[in-house]
Amino acid sequence: MVPSLDMAQIDVGQSLQLTALEARLRDLLLDVARYIDQRSTLQTELPSSTATNVELRFTGGWVRDKLLGVDSHDIDVAINTMTGYEFGLQMKEYLERPGMYQKYGIQRSSDLHKIEANPDKSKHLETVTTRVLGLDIDLVNLRKEAYTDDSRNPQMEFGTPLEDALRRDATVNAMFFNLNTSALEDWTGQGLQDLRTGIIRTPLDPQQTFKDDPLRILRLIRFASRLGYLIEGTAEAAMSQPAIQDALRVKISRERIGIEIEKMLRGSYFHRKWIARHALILDRMTGNDPRRALRLIDRLGLYTTVFSDPSHSGGSPLPIQNWSCAYECAQLLVAGSREVTDDHRPESEAAARLSRALIDDASEEYLVYLLSALTPWGDKPASPTAKPTAKTAPPVAAVVAREGIKINNKVYKLIESACVNASDIMSVKQSVSETLRGQTGAVSRDVLGMAIRRWGEKWRLQVVFCILLETMRSGLDNVQGRKIILADYASFVDCVRELDLMDVWKLKPLLDGKELSRALRKEPGPWMKGALELLIAWQLRNGDSRDVESAVAELEQHVHRRE
């Protein structure tokens, strides 16, 4: 863990305390800079105002995290006199001299990965990535970006530290640590103060900032939700403008949008030890807060810009006025799965029972928030297929996730199954609830178990989706309705557990297909699938009995009746 820093005691021009690895990296980079200065053999054409000696800076997120006392293994290094690729080649050449690997404790030279510019998609920063001393390093020159009114394609030029700072997405990400002088730099004059007071603002006019690179909209939302900061008013206003949102929709690839959404919804930014040490400011800085990110997307009117199928536009407007019910419920469920929660609302006890039963780990917490983000599409009917013989069209929510934010195939299958099985899950849950209230007879273990097997391995998260969907349908401010929904589902899951059906999808039949064929003296055929399901149902009715003879006798009766 990095040393704890009191931001009130840190000021511009002062040094930052580095870890042992960071200090070794700094020494290596400065030695490479001196090696370059001494040789003076570079052929790069530089502006006449550019300094002749190599000057290096740690930039952006590393500086922000260092000031917050947060571990960071990703370091961006800005160079004043050459491209990152040129510096990387010089560093590789320097390290290949005799004894250099041993001097810095480096096992081997890492490959340099050059990322070419792609101005059509706002990925216009030529960068070199490498790994040194276990740290992920990006090497890039100080730069400025020149735009014209009739083009979205920026011209990347060598820039000054001020120009480099001003073109960044937020002031808190625009501070530098000068390796040559060991001094903190804040060229915008606002970064350190904004970090102290909890403000996310753009260094330049936000409308122009977002027009140049619309992905900055999502990045600022991510930082605000991650740090617990407020987005400055003029920046928020610009985010809501239709023209800016259109630029986000058109200019930025769906893969990059998906990456930002996943970062918003996944993982914890602050380590638990950091949270404990900084308990006095937990009211403002609570770590990654997916609910806050979804609230901002909702309030800024960005939902259909982000969560949509880019291949289809138009159609009836998507009603999202009750979407907040879903993501607020997701927060309640996730909070219930953690060791500590300050949520003492009446429904929190039911939410905690559901969380312990349905949400296994942090990766599934991410999926809960993702499912909540897709609930507005949960009631949208799938588009009819063009041909009667064609496969059933996938649910719209699954298509939006696949095409809109480019989720992987495994998550796509979960969302598809959740939508397809939703009505069945709700029906079975309702039946169990009525039974538990004494309105009908006992819950049949085999009926419930076979239903869960239909839903498959990920049935628990599919149940979560149904909870979120029903909560959204219940409407805004319907606290009583949410209490009833959570209580019903908690009783349903309690029943599943009491009947020892939580892992029923793993249950294997007593006999495999060949054994069953021999036992029933029938040739293998289509009948076997139904017979194996009957065998599983028999096992569930009989307490997972291993009595093969009794099972076969009952199966024979079923098979003969069908014949």
Side-chain angles (χ1 to χ4, degrees):
M1 195 69 186
V2 298
S4 176
L5 296 177
D6 184 350
M7 282 188 286
Q9 303 301 317
I10 298 293
D11 209 344
V12 174
Q14 295 183 350
S15 185
L16 299 178
Q17 187 173 350
L18 306 183
T19 66
L21 280 179
E22 291 166 347
R24 204 188 313 170
L25 175 65
R26 174 203 57 198
D27 293 344
L28 167 62
L29 294 173
L30 289 176
D31 286 347
V32 172
R34 282 189 284 269
Y35 171 74
I36 294 170
D37 289 339
Q38 291 167 3
R39 297 183 68 203
S40 300
T41 58
L42 291 175
Q43 302 300 314
T44 306
E45 294 184 7
L46 303 176
S48 58
S49 59
T50 302
T52 55
N53 289 335
V54 177
E55 198 170 56
L56 304 172
R57 291 171 171 84
F58 289 167
T59 69
W62 179 88
V63 180
R64 178 200 65 228
D65 289 349
K66 177 66 68 174
L67 291 169
L68 292 172
V70 178
D71 285 319
S72 179
H73 295 283
D74 298 318
I75 303 179
D76 293 346
V77 181
I79 308 134
N80 66 327
T81 60
M82 68 195 71
T83 68
Y85 187 63
E86 290 170 324
F87 185 88
L89 291 176
Q90 292 294 316
M91 181 171 70
K92 195 174 183 67
E93 181 179 301
Y94 174 79
L95 284 171
E96 288 172 353
R97 299 168 69 200
M100 289 300 150
Y101 288 123
Q102 294 83 351
K103 176 180 178 180
Y104 300 101
I106 298 174
Q107 297 299 318
R108 62 182 179 83
S109 178
S110 177
D111 292 335
L112 299 176
H113 304 283
K114 185 177 181 181
I115 302 174
E116 300 288 351
N118 181 8
D120 289 336
K121 293 296 183 181
S122 286
K123 195 174 183 64
H124 45 263
L125 309 178
E126 182 182 85
T127 306
V128 167
T129 64
T130 188
R131 189 168 177 83
V132 180
L133 298 170
L135 302 170
D136 293 316
I137 310 300
D138 283 6
L139 302 171
V140 66
N141 57 279
L142 289 173
R143 55 207 180 272
K144 63 179 178 180
E145 296 159 359
Y147 290 82
T148 59
D149 292 338
D150 59 350
S151 174
R152 291 180 178 142
N153 299 347
Q155 296 296 318
M156 191 275 288
E157 303 173 5
F158 279 89
T160 65
L162 174 60
E163 289 168 333
D164 192 277
L166 291 177
R167 59 107 198 147
R168 292 178 179 265
D169 51 15
T171 57
V172 297
N173 297 331
M175 291 179 284
F176 303 151
F177 178 65
N178 189 312
L179 301 190
N180 299 69
T181 63
S182 294
L184 174 66
E185 298 177 341
D186 182 9
W187 292 90
T188 71
Q190 295 178 296
L192 187 58
Q193 183 61 23
D194 285 344
L195 197 66
R196 287 170 175 156
T197 56
I199 298 294
I200 298 293
R201 83 171 79 238
T202 58
L204 297 174
D205 172 60
Q207 185 166 345
Q208 188 63 46
T209 296
F210 299 143
K211 181 181 177 183
D212 290 345
D213 185 355
L215 191 67
R216 289 167 176 163
I217 296 171
L218 299 183
R219 285 176 57 82
L220 263 59
I221 290 174
R222 173 161 61 89
F223 290 126
S225 61
R226 172 178 285 185
L227 299 171
Y229 284 13
L230 297 175
I231 299 177
E232 184 267 335
T234 59
E236 272 207 5
M239 289 177 177
S240 300
Q241 293 180 10
I244 297 297
Q245 295 185 6
D246 285 344
L248 175 61
R249 185 182 294 108
V250 172
K251 190 175 181 182
I252 304 301
S253 74
R254 284 287 156 176
E255 288 82 2
R256 293 183 70 200
I257 290 175
I259 289 170
E260 285 299 321
I261 293 298
E262 182 170 350
K263 287 179 179 180
M264 290 179 200
L265 303 185
R266 186 190 289 277
S268 178
Y269 183 58
F270 296 110
H271 192 279
R272 287 186 180 274
K273 291 181 180 178
W274 187 95
I275 293 175
R277 192 171 66 229
H278 294 77
L280 293 178
I281 53 173
L282 271 179
D283 59 324
R284 180 162 62 82
M285 301 172 69
T286 56
N288 219 29
D289 187 350
R291 175 182 59 174
R292 181 178 173 85
L294 295 175
R295 280 177 172 175
L296 284 167
I297 289 172
D298 192 5
R299 181 159 58 82
L300 297 171
L302 287 162
Y303 184 85
T304 53
T305 300
V306 175
F307 299 105
S308 62
D309 178 2
S311 64
H312 290 83
S313 59
S316 58
L318 183 69
I320 60 170
Q321 63 270 22
N322 292 334
W323 176 42
S324 62
C325 300
Y327 59 71
E328 295 293 342
C329 185
Q331 173 72 10
L332 193 61
L333 290 170
V334 169
S337 71
R338 294 179 175 171
E339 297 175 9
V340 180
T341 176
D342 59 357
D343 194 336
H344 302 293
R345 286 175 290 181
E347 67 267 43
S348 62
E349 188 273 335
R353 284 157 55 201
L354 287 165
S355 301
R356 289 190 292 268
L358 302 178
I359 305 173
D360 280 344
D361 52 30
S363 66
E364 293 198 347
E365 290 179 5
Y366 154 71
L367 292 173
V368 170
Y369 285 116
L370 179 60
L371 289 169
S372 77
L374 296 167
T375 49
W377 294 103
D379 287 326
K380 196 82 170 176
S383 302
T385 54
K387 300 179 181 179
T389 57
K391 291 183 178 180
T392 303
V396 177
V399 175
V400 167
R402 183 183 63 197
E403 303 301 330
I405 55 175
K406 297 296 182 180
I407 50 98
N408 62 47
N409 192 58
K410 185 177 179 180
V411 177
Y412 170 80
K413 291 294 185 183
L414 165 65
I415 297 166
E416 182 182 41
S417 297
C419 294
V420 169
N421 293 326
S423 60
D424 188 26
I425 292 171
M426 293 178 189
S427 176
V428 172
K429 182 270 303 181
Q430 184 62 28
S431 177
V432 170
S433 297
E434 291 173 356
T435 298
L436 296 176
R437 294 192 193 107
Q439 297 175 6
T440 59
V443 176
S444 299
R445 186 171 187 264
D446 58 330
V447 173
L448 181 55
M450 295 305 290
I452 293 174
R453 287 175 65 84
R454 283 197 305 274
W455 307 333
E457 177 182 355
K458 296 297 182 181
W459 73 270
R460 303 182 197 204
L461 288 171
Q462 295 177 49
V463 170
V464 169
F465 181 71
C466 291
I467 295 170
L468 301 174
L469 196 57
E470 285 203 51
T471 302
M472 186 185 70
R473 290 172 179 172
S474 72
L476 291 170
D477 301 322
N478 189 354
V479 176
Q480 186 60 30
R482 183 171 66 184
K483 286 173 57 179
I484 293 172
I485 292 168
L486 291 174
D488 278 356
Y489 274 98
S491 297
F492 167 70
V493 172
D494 288 345
C495 180
V496 173
R497 180 187 283 108
E498 289 166 6
L499 293 174
D500 194 22
L501 295 173
M502 296 297 288
D503 294 320
V504 69
W505 57 273
K506 296 179 180 178
L507 183 62
K508 302 293 184 183
L510 282 172
L511 304 172
D512 62 25
K514 291 182 179 179
E515 293 169 335
L516 185 61
S517 178
R518 288 195 298 268
L520 296 178
R521 298 177 297 281
K522 287 176 63 68
E523 289 295 321
W527 64 272
M528 294 176 64
K529 180 179 179 181
L532 289 171
E533 290 181 353
L534 288 172
L535 181 55
I536 290 287
W538 180 90
Q539 292 171 230
L540 291 171
R541 283 195 304 276
N542 291 276
D544 301 333
S545 169
R546 308 295 297 177
D547 186 349
V548 174
E549 186 176 339
S550 297
V552 170
E554 185 168 322
L555 281 177
E556 285 179 330
Q557 295 178 13
H558 281 287
V559 170
H560 290 321
R561 281 200 298 267
R562 289 187 176 183
E563 291 177 346

PDB file of all heavy atoms in Angstrom, residues 257-272:
ATOM      1  N   ILE A 257     -17.158   2.380 -25.568  1.00  0.00           N
ATOM      2  CA  ILE A 257     -18.265   2.690 -24.662  1.00  0.00           C
ATOM      3  C   ILE A 257     -18.455   1.542 -23.679  1.00  0.00           C
ATOM      4  O   ILE A 257     -18.633   1.751 -22.470  1.00  0.00           O
ATOM      5  CB  ILE A 257     -19.555   2.967 -25.452  1.00  0.00           C
ATOM      6  CG1 ILE A 257     -19.439   4.305 -26.197  1.00  0.00           C
ATOM      7  CG2 ILE A 257     -20.780   2.974 -24.532  1.00  0.00           C
ATOM      8  CD1 ILE A 257     -20.618   4.623 -27.099  1.00  0.00           C
ATOM      9  N   GLY A 258     -18.414   0.321 -24.189  1.00  0.00           N
ATOM     10  CA  GLY A 258     -18.579  -0.839 -23.319  1.00  0.00           C
ATOM     11  C   GLY A 258     -17.498  -0.933 -22.264  1.00  0.00           C
ATOM     12  O   GLY A 258     -17.767  -1.303 -21.116  1.00  0.00           O
ATOM     13  N   ILE A 259     -16.266  -0.602 -22.632  1.00  0.00           N
ATOM     14  CA  ILE A 259     -15.165  -0.631 -21.656  1.00  0.00           C
ATOM     15  C   ILE A 259     -15.429   0.356 -20.531  1.00  0.00           C
ATOM     16  O   ILE A 259     -15.229   0.050 -19.344  1.00  0.00           O
ATOM     17  CB  ILE A 259     -13.832  -0.328 -22.359  1.00  0.00           C
ATOM     18  CG1 ILE A 259     -13.428  -1.506 -23.245  1.00  0.00           C
ATOM     19  CG2 ILE A 259     -12.733  -0.023 -21.341  1.00  0.00           C
ATOM     20  CD1 ILE A 259     -12.250  -1.220 -24.164  1.00  0.00           C
ATOM     21  N   GLU A 260     -15.876   1.570 -20.868  1.00  0.00           N
ATOM     22  CA  GLU A 260     -16.161   2.567 -19.834  1.00  0.00           C
ATOM     23  C   GLU A 260     -17.310   2.119 -18.930  1.00  0.00           C
ATOM     24  O   GLU A 260     -17.255   2.289 -17.706  1.00  0.00           O
ATOM     25  CB  GLU A 260     -16.499   3.915 -20.479  1.00  0.00           C
ATOM     26  CG  GLU A 260     -15.305   4.652 -21.042  1.00  0.00           C
ATOM     27  CD  GLU A 260     -14.257   4.981 -19.978  1.00  0.00           C
ATOM     28  OE1 GLU A 260     -14.641   5.348 -18.845  1.00  0.00           O
ATOM     29  OE2 GLU A 260     -13.063   4.839 -20.274  1.00  0.00           O
ATOM     30  N   ILE A 261     -18.362   1.542 -19.518  1.00  0.00           N
ATOM     31  CA  ILE A 261     -19.492   1.075 -18.715  1.00  0.00           C
ATOM     32  C   ILE A 261     -19.043  -0.036 -17.773  1.00  0.00           C
ATOM     33  O   ILE A 261     -19.411  -0.058 -16.589  1.00  0.00           O
ATOM     34  CB  ILE A 261     -20.643   0.591 -19.623  1.00  0.00           C
ATOM     35  CG1 ILE A 261     -21.234   1.767 -20.403  1.00  0.00           C
ATOM     36  CG2 ILE A 261     -21.728  -0.107 -18.803  1.00  0.00           C
ATOM     37  CD1 ILE A 261     -21.842   2.856 -19.539  1.00  0.00           C
ATOM     38  N   GLU A 262     -18.223  -0.957 -18.270  1.00  0.00           N
ATOM     39  CA  GLU A 262     -17.759  -2.032 -17.396  1.00  0.00           C
ATOM     40  C   GLU A 262     -16.917  -1.480 -16.250  1.00  0.00           C
ATOM     41  O   GLU A 262     -17.028  -1.939 -15.113  1.00  0.00           O
ATOM     42  CB  GLU A 262     -16.957  -3.054 -18.197  1.00  0.00           C
ATOM     43  CG  GLU A 262     -16.497  -4.225 -17.350  1.00  0.00           C
ATOM     44  CD  GLU A 262     -15.912  -5.367 -18.143  1.00  0.00           C
ATOM     45  OE1 GLU A 262     -16.034  -5.350 -19.391  1.00  0.00           O
ATOM     46  OE2 GLU A 262     -15.329  -6.270 -17.526  1.00  0.00           O
ATOM     47  N   LYS A 263     -16.070  -0.500 -16.537  1.00  0.00           N
ATOM     48  CA  LYS A 263     -15.281   0.104 -15.465  1.00  0.00           C
ATOM     49  C   LYS A 263     -16.161   0.787 -14.430  1.00  0.00           C
ATOM     50  O   LYS A 263     -15.851   0.789 -13.239  1.00  0.00           O
ATOM     51  CB  LYS A 263     -14.292   1.115 -16.062  1.00  0.00           C
ATOM     52  CG  LYS A 263     -13.126   0.479 -16.803  1.00  0.00           C
ATOM     53  CD  LYS A 263     -12.208   1.545 -17.377  1.00  0.00           C
ATOM     54  CE  LYS A 263     -11.023   0.946 -18.107  1.00  0.00           C
ATOM     55  NZ  LYS A 263     -10.139   1.996 -18.672  1.00  0.00           N
ATOM     56  N   MET A 264     -17.265   1.397 -14.878  1.00  0.00           N
ATOM     57  CA  MET A 264     -18.196   2.029 -13.939  1.00  0.00           C
ATOM     58  C   MET A 264     -18.843   1.003 -13.017  1.00  0.00           C
ATOM     59  O   MET A 264     -19.059   1.265 -11.835  1.00  0.00           O
ATOM     60  CB  MET A 264     -19.310   2.754 -14.694  1.00  0.00           C
ATOM     61  CG  MET A 264     -18.914   3.999 -15.434  1.00  0.00           C
ATOM     62  SD  MET A 264     -20.382   4.676 -16.260  1.00  0.00           S
ATOM     63  CE  MET A 264     -19.614   5.717 -17.491  1.00  0.00           C
ATOM     64  N   LEU A 265     -19.181  -0.151 -13.579  1.00  0.00           N
ATOM     65  CA  LEU A 265     -20.011  -1.110 -12.856  1.00  0.00           C
ATOM     66  C   LEU A 265     -19.213  -2.190 -12.142  1.00  0.00           C
ATOM     67  O   LEU A 265     -19.784  -2.946 -11.355  1.00  0.00           O
ATOM     68  CB  LEU A 265     -20.986  -1.786 -13.828  1.00  0.00           C
ATOM     69  CG  LEU A 265     -21.918  -0.863 -14.624  1.00  0.00           C
ATOM     70  CD1 LEU A 265     -22.895  -1.691 -15.444  1.00  0.00           C
ATOM     71  CD2 LEU A 265     -22.670   0.099 -13.714  1.00  0.00           C
ATOM     72  N   ARG A 266     -17.948  -2.275 -12.415  1.00  0.00           N
ATOM     73  CA  ARG A 266     -17.160  -3.381 -11.865  1.00  0.00           C
ATOM     74  C   ARG A 266     -16.095  -2.884 -10.896  1.00  0.00           C
ATOM     75  O   ARG A 266     -15.487  -1.852 -11.100  1.00  0.00           O
ATOM     76  CB  ARG A 266     -16.458  -4.141 -12.990  1.00  0.00           C
ATOM     77  CG  ARG A 266     -15.734  -5.391 -12.528  1.00  0.00           C
ATOM     78  CD  ARG A 266     -14.865  -5.966 -13.625  1.00  0.00           C
ATOM     79  NE  ARG A 266     -15.616  -6.568 -14.693  1.00  0.00           N
ATOM     80  CZ  ARG A 266     -16.099  -7.806 -14.668  1.00  0.00           C
ATOM     81  NH1 ARG A 266     -15.925  -8.560 -13.609  1.00  0.00           N
ATOM     82  NH2 ARG A 266     -16.772  -8.288 -15.702  1.00  0.00           N
ATOM     83  N   GLY A 267     -15.845  -3.684  -9.871  1.00  0.00           N
ATOM     84  CA  GLY A 267     -14.673  -3.506  -9.031  1.00  0.00           C
ATOM     85  C   GLY A 267     -14.771  -2.388  -8.022  1.00  0.00           C
ATOM     86  O   GLY A 267     -15.662  -1.562  -8.049  1.00  0.00           O
ATOM     87  N   SER A 268     -13.811  -2.408  -7.116  1.00  0.00           N
ATOM     88  CA  SER A 268     -13.734  -1.386  -6.076  1.00  0.00           C
ATOM     89  C   SER A 268     -12.448  -0.603  -6.255  1.00  0.00           C
ATOM     90  O   SER A 268     -11.373  -1.185  -6.404  1.00  0.00           O
ATOM     91  CB  SER A 268     -13.766  -2.031  -4.684  1.00  0.00           C
ATOM     92  OG  SER A 268     -13.639  -1.056  -3.686  1.00  0.00           O
ATOM     93  N   TYR A 269     -12.563   0.713  -6.248  1.00  0.00           N
ATOM     94  CA  TYR A 269     -11.402   1.577  -6.486  1.00  0.00           C
ATOM     95  C   TYR A 269     -10.524   1.658  -5.247  1.00  0.00           C
ATOM     96  O   TYR A 269      -9.305   1.605  -5.316  1.00  0.00           O
ATOM     97  CB  TYR A 269     -11.915   2.958  -6.866  1.00  0.00           C
ATOM     98  CG  TYR A 269     -10.843   3.963  -7.213  1.00  0.00           C
ATOM     99  CD1 TYR A 269      -9.937   3.722  -8.231  1.00  0.00           C
ATOM    100  CD2 TYR A 269     -10.767   5.172  -6.536  1.00  0.00           C
ATOM    101  CE1 TYR A 269      -8.977   4.651  -8.567  1.00  0.00           C
ATOM    102  CE2 TYR A 269      -9.804   6.108  -6.872  1.00  0.00           C
ATOM    103  CZ  TYR A 269      -8.922   5.844  -7.888  1.00  0.00           C
ATOM    104  OH  TYR A 269      -7.991   6.768  -8.221  1.00  0.00           O
ATOM    105  N   PHE A 270     -11.147   1.780  -4.096  1.00  0.00           N
ATOM    106  CA  PHE A 270     -10.397   1.945  -2.863  1.00  0.00           C
ATOM    107  C   PHE A 270     -10.293   0.626  -2.107  1.00  0.00           C
ATOM    108  O   PHE A 270     -11.270  -0.084  -1.945  1.00  0.00           O
ATOM    109  CB  PHE A 270     -11.051   2.993  -1.958  1.00  0.00           C
ATOM    110  CG  PHE A 270     -11.055   4.361  -2.559  1.00  0.00           C
ATOM    111  CD1 PHE A 270     -12.230   4.937  -2.992  1.00  0.00           C
ATOM    112  CD2 PHE A 270      -9.880   5.060  -2.702  1.00  0.00           C
ATOM    113  CE1 PHE A 270     -12.238   6.196  -3.555  1.00  0.00           C
ATOM    114  CE2 PHE A 270      -9.869   6.326  -3.262  1.00  0.00           C
ATOM    115  CZ  PHE A 270     -11.050   6.889  -3.689  1.00  0.00           C
ATOM    116  N   HIS A 271      -9.103   0.310  -1.650  1.00  0.00           N
ATOM    117  CA  HIS A 271      -8.876  -0.874  -0.845  1.00  0.00           C
ATOM    118  C   HIS A 271      -9.530  -0.689   0.523  1.00  0.00           C
ATOM    119  O   HIS A 271      -9.637   0.417   1.049  1.00  0.00           O
ATOM    120  CB  HIS A 271      -7.357  -1.082  -0.681  1.00  0.00           C
ATOM    121  CG  HIS A 271      -6.974  -2.405  -0.110  1.00  0.00           C
ATOM    122  ND1 HIS A 271      -7.017  -2.668   1.229  1.00  0.00           N
ATOM    123  CD2 HIS A 271      -6.546  -3.539  -0.721  1.00  0.00           C
ATOM    124  CE1 HIS A 271      -6.608  -3.913   1.446  1.00  0.00           C
ATOM    125  NE2 HIS A 271      -6.324  -4.462   0.279  1.00  0.00           N
ATOM    126  N   ARG A 272      -9.960  -1.805   1.137  1.00  0.00           N
ATOM    127  CA  ARG A 272     -10.638  -1.709   2.443  1.00  0.00           C
ATOM    128  C   ARG A 272      -9.762  -1.030   3.497  1.00  0.00           C
ATOM    129  O   ARG A 272     -10.257  -0.297   4.348  1.00  0.00           O
ATOM    130  CB  ARG A 272     -11.040  -3.105   2.925  1.00  0.00           C
ATOM    131  CG  ARG A 272     -12.226  -3.697   2.165  1.00  0.00           C
ATOM    132  CD  ARG A 272     -12.656  -5.016   2.788  1.00  0.00           C
ATOM    133  NE  ARG A 272     -13.781  -5.595   2.067  1.00  0.00           N
ATOM    134  CZ  ARG A 272     -15.042  -5.299   2.315  1.00  0.00           C
ATOM    135  NH1 ARG A 272     -15.342  -4.419   3.229  1.00  0.00           N
ATOM    136  NH2 ARG A 272     -16.013  -5.878   1.626  1.00  0.00           N
TER     137      ARG A 272
END
